[in-house]
Amino acid sequence: MPKRSIQMFLRNKISAYLIVFAFFMIALFGGISIGTIQVPFRDIAFLLSHHFFGTSLHGVDPSFDNIVWKIRFPRVLLAALVGASLAVAGAAFQGLLRNPLADPYTLGVSSGASAGAVMVLFFNVQFSWLSGFTLPVISIMASIVTIFIVVLFAQAIERSLKVETIILTGIIFSSFLGAVISLMIALTGEELRQIIGWLLGSVSMRGWDYIQLILPFFLIGTILLIIHAAELNAMSFGEEKAQHLGVNVRRKKLIVLIAGSILTGAAVAVSGTIGFVGLVIPHFIRLIWGPDHRHLLPLSMFAGAGFLILADLVARTIISPTELPIGVITSIIGAPVFAIILLRKHRKGRRTA
Amino acid sequence: MIQLTKLSGGYDGKLIVRDLSFSVQKGELFGILGPNGSGKTTLLKMMSGIVPVSSGSMQIEGKEIKDYKPKELAKRLAVLPQMTPQAFSYTVKETVSLGRYAHQSGLFPIWTEEDEQAVNKAMERTGTIQFANTSLEELSGGERQRVFLAQALAQEPEILLLDEPTNHLDLSFQKELLDLLKKMASEAGLTVVSIFHDLNLASLYCDRLLLMEDGTMNGLGIPSEVLKEEPIQQVYKTAIHQRPHPEVPKPQMSILPEKAAKEETEIIIDGTCITHKDEFIALEAPVLLKTLSAGVIGAGWGWHRSFVNRHVDKNYWHDSYKEDMKGFLKQHHFDINETVGMMTAVHLRKAAYRFVEIEDVSVFVVVTAGVGNAVDVSRAVEHSRAFLPGTINTWVFANGYLSEEAFVQSVMTATEAKVKALFDKKVKDPLTHSWATGTSTDSVLIAATQRGAHQAFAGTISPLGQSIGKAVYECTIESLEKSGTGERI
């Protein structure tokens, strides 16, 4: 009897990975395929195989190569990396802060990144040695500086660095930096559209360079968080309990904070503040497959990636050729879908209880 | 095992625990007591390394607690707090499995057969295995607490610290949890340190107790040394009464509720309370009286309102005479829980009553005496165990507040008065033909209103003793005369 239930349990988790990975792959291919020019799935597979493994093109239309490899694939990949980063960071912050309402933006990291980016746009800063990367690099730096100030400030309030203190400090810095951003917007004349457009978020016209920029942060942040899944589980029962279970709470908390902030900062820097992904994807995964972070983090990663690819697909196709800001789409689609799932899940739960 | 030396500590530089020194041995069940704000929880948090030590030392196995790495400490010491916050709905199995965290190492730890067994064993011991795949959210507070106990046990610790573990548990699980801890302490050598709010549970289960007051030690020792009325009253600043447990040799404390004015008004028990019938004599008191008796029903210490002396045939025999007596009382609409019941083969018209008042105390005595089976106690060994009818039932109702000594002395005084009456009426033991001292089935009841003047003693020359002596002697004589001295029944 217990053996069977363990098997069931495993099958359940394996099916979870299969479902989420399938969703991601469908989104990936769909994102590359759909647009003003349709590219068949078969051709996409050959093209990707050609670029990754050097296989022959099997007579695929060479114009597709340009569309897929130069434009759509980097765009889709960037959406995937941003979505994955935000979802993983959101899951980790929710676990660490023991608050299902936390998201990657709770601690003010994104406000830091945004303030950095808006400042670059506002003052029209351009460092020649960074060429086109001035904005994202400054933005990432601003986000890292912000999280350090938040942690140091929280520590000055209280040495033990309780999550309640961190949340409060995060709120203080978020609103302060938010005000700085608003001030710059208010003082901006003709550049307003550019700033607003950036703040609403977009993954268009970024190219391979931006992928190179976000990839190392994504890998470091995600790996750090996934190897701290057990600690996140322990810490979601409170810091004292985690310490009793043998977790070096202070150190692990800092690692999770920094890893989550790197992910958030890098995502915001390359794509602006895209809302909803970091809040809802982990919630959604937790609702279906439970809160165990060892599974929650990787599942959220794939689900977040797939979700943002689809959101971007909708953003650029729904009233084509005009592109909508992706952040608007994530919320417009995500909120009602999530609301329905929440409602059905709770109804079902009540019936079976 | 655990050694505290001049330990002080607290929060933000404010010392809450001051200068504590004690040690806990392996396999001991050690209780921490104290009123709210006395520093119990802070002490426990210092013992688990959550609150830092300001001065002094806190050692486990000879090593300072701050020198332990978190995982190293978690393998030795587990904690069950009063409440564990939970933001997400983990399953019971997932929650208990977290107890193995300290036993795992590496970036991607492997779940071994040993881990699985430790988790299953912990769930079995705490009776949570049936919920293994249930979400924590669906469990009651008590069930959740057991899950967290399982989590702590899955750590396989040598020391278990608990903060009021029975707080959310109902009576049967309180007992089960503490029985389990006691068993693990004595059999597996688990050292258990627990905070208790309930002094009585602590007294029943702990080997030793620490009583805390304002962050310092007020008492340390076995329960009977620590749980004394005076220090407990002083530390908890309330009226407490200590009594031994009825079944086990441990002290039990009861709080004394403040008395309302109407509970203080004096009540006099006298002849007006008596109902006299052929079948029984009953005395109905207006309030519950504190009693010490050897009745068929309501024996020992108790609080009773109705007192019934039932007449039975001289050939009465019943295998379960207590059940028969209960049936009789029910039939006559007496509440069994509030009644002291006695039996006698003596005709009840031979009963005698007296009301005697001396100084600030009065007593009302009822005696039914029959001496068909009179016995000389000094030669009682010569008697066979055969049942012969005849009994002297003595009831003493004292209108006053009697100490426990006074109750016991009342029994003595009443007995002495009875013996003297038998002697004066020249009652002889029919078998040995020596002076009889009583009959083989005599019974006695002392009941007190516990209102009015305090009576510390009831020895023969105290006012209470004098009234009992006089009343019992006179009643016994009168009753014997009514039945005809020395005659059978």
Side-chain angles (χ1 to χ4, degrees), chain A residues 231 233 236 240-241 243-244, chain B residues 45 49 79 90 101 151 155:
Chain A
E231 283 81 357
N233 281 338
S236 50
E240 280 187 13
K241 186 80 236 184
Q243 189 169 339
H244 294 148
Chain B
K45 285 188 174 178
V79 182
Y90 287 89
Y101 174 81
Q151 188 187 55
Q155 285 177 249

Side-chain angles (χ1 to χ4, degrees), chain A residues 5-6 94-95 98 100 227 230-231 233-234 236-238 240-241 243-248 286 291-293, chain B residues 45 48-50 70-71 74 79 84-85 87-90 94-95 98 101-102 107-108 133 136 148 151 155:
Chain A
S5 69
I6 290 164
Q94 286 171 5
R98 294 197 303 281
I227 62 179
E231 283 81 357
N233 281 338
S236 50
F237 286 100
E240 280 187 13
K241 186 80 236 184
Q243 189 169 339
H244 294 148
L245 290 170
V247 177
N248 190 338
R286 209 181 279 117
D292 187 344
H293 288 82
Chain B
K45 285 188 174 178
S48 65
I50 296 279
K71 276 195 177 183
V79 182
T84 306
F88 307 111
S89 48
Y90 287 89
E94 284 169 344
T95 308
L98 271 177
Y101 174 81
L107 292 184
F108 295 98
N133 293 315
L136 275 186
F148 287 112
Q151 188 187 55
Q155 285 177 249

Side-chain angles (χ1 to χ4, degrees), chain B residues 34-305:
Chain B
N36 292 336
S38 60
K40 302 184 298 282
T41 300
T42 308
L43 172 63
L44 205 74
K45 285 188 174 178
M46 289 176 76
M47 293 175 80
S48 65
I50 296 279
V51 173
V53 174
S54 309
S55 67
S57 94
M58 158 72 215
Q59 294 182 334
I60 291 175
E61 300 280 18
K63 185 171 165 185
E64 282 296 327
I65 191 151
K66 64 175 191 304
D67 296 337
Y68 277 95
K69 289 195 177 114
K71 276 195 177 183
E72 215 183 317
L73 187 63
K75 281 191 225 173
R76 283 191 189 276
L77 182 144
V79 182
L80 181 66
Q82 263 189 66
M83 278 285 277
T84 306
Q86 42 173 116
F88 307 111
S89 48
Y90 287 89
T91 67
V92 169
K93 178 92 184 270
E94 284 169 344
T95 308
V96 177
S97 300
L98 271 177
R100 300 302 296 169
Y101 174 81
H103 292 265
Q104 300 191 307
S105 54
L107 292 184
F108 295 98
I110 298 154
W111 188 252
T112 63
E113 189 57 35
E114 200 190 327
D115 292 320
E116 182 71 23
Q117 271 175 14
V119 167
N120 283 336
K121 199 169 147 199
M123 287 197 294
E124 267 162 31
R125 276 191 156 154
T126 50
T128 50
I129 198 149
Q130 48 180 328
F131 311 129
N133 293 315
T134 313
S135 153
L136 275 186
E137 273 178 356
E138 291 168 36
L139 301 184
S140 72
E143 288 165 344
R144 258 179 238 176
Q145 191 68 340
R146 280 153 61 204
V147 171
F148 287 112
L149 175 67
Q151 188 187 55
L153 294 180
Q155 285 177 249
E156 299 188 317
E158 292 157 21
I159 302 165
L160 183 60
L161 305 183
L162 306 103
D163 192 348
E164 289 180 41
T166 55
N167 221 0
H168 304 280
L169 303 182
D170 66 27
L171 216 52
S172 75
F173 279 122
Q174 286 187 10
K175 179 179 137 50
E176 252 171 56
L177 172 75
L178 292 169
D179 282 342
L180 174 71
L181 293 177
K182 183 137 191 127
K183 195 171 150 209
M184 291 187 68
S186 60
E187 287 174 13
L190 180 72
T191 307
V192 180
V193 178
S194 177
I195 292 177
F196 283 93
H197 245 324
D198 188 327
L199 303 180
N200 294 331
L201 279 180
S203 164
L204 285 175
Y205 282 94
C206 293
D207 298 313
R208 281 194 304 150
L209 295 173
L210 167 74
L211 178 61
M212 289 189 67
E213 184 184 16
D214 287 337
T216 58
M217 182 190 297
N218 180 291
L220 176 71
I222 60 171
S224 57
E225 287 171 345
V226 175
L227 294 177
K228 289 183 176 153
E229 268 177 30
E230 224 169 277
I232 295 290
Q233 297 213 13
Q234 179 212 324
V235 169
Y236 284 88
K237 299 184 174 57
T238 188
I240 296 270
H241 188 68
Q242 195 237 55
R243 295 283 307 252
H245 190 280
E247 297 297 330
V248 292
K250 302 274 186 163
Q252 295 287 284
M253 320 296 287
S254 11
I255 54 169
L256 296 178
E258 203 150 294
K259 281 189 175 169
K262 73 173 169 88
E263 292 173 292
E264 296 282 16
T265 52
E266 233 177 290
I267 281 167
I268 300 292
I269 305 292
D270 56 21
T272 58
C273 308
I274 286 266
T275 321
H276 198 147
K277 293 185 178 169
D278 277 351
E279 248 181 320
F280 62 86
I281 297 177
L283 186 142
E284 296 269 11
V287 294
L288 287 166
L289 306 183
K290 186 174 180 181
T291 61
L292 173 64
S293 80
V296 174
I297 298 289
W301 288 105
W303 288 86
H304 298 95
R305 189 193 301 274

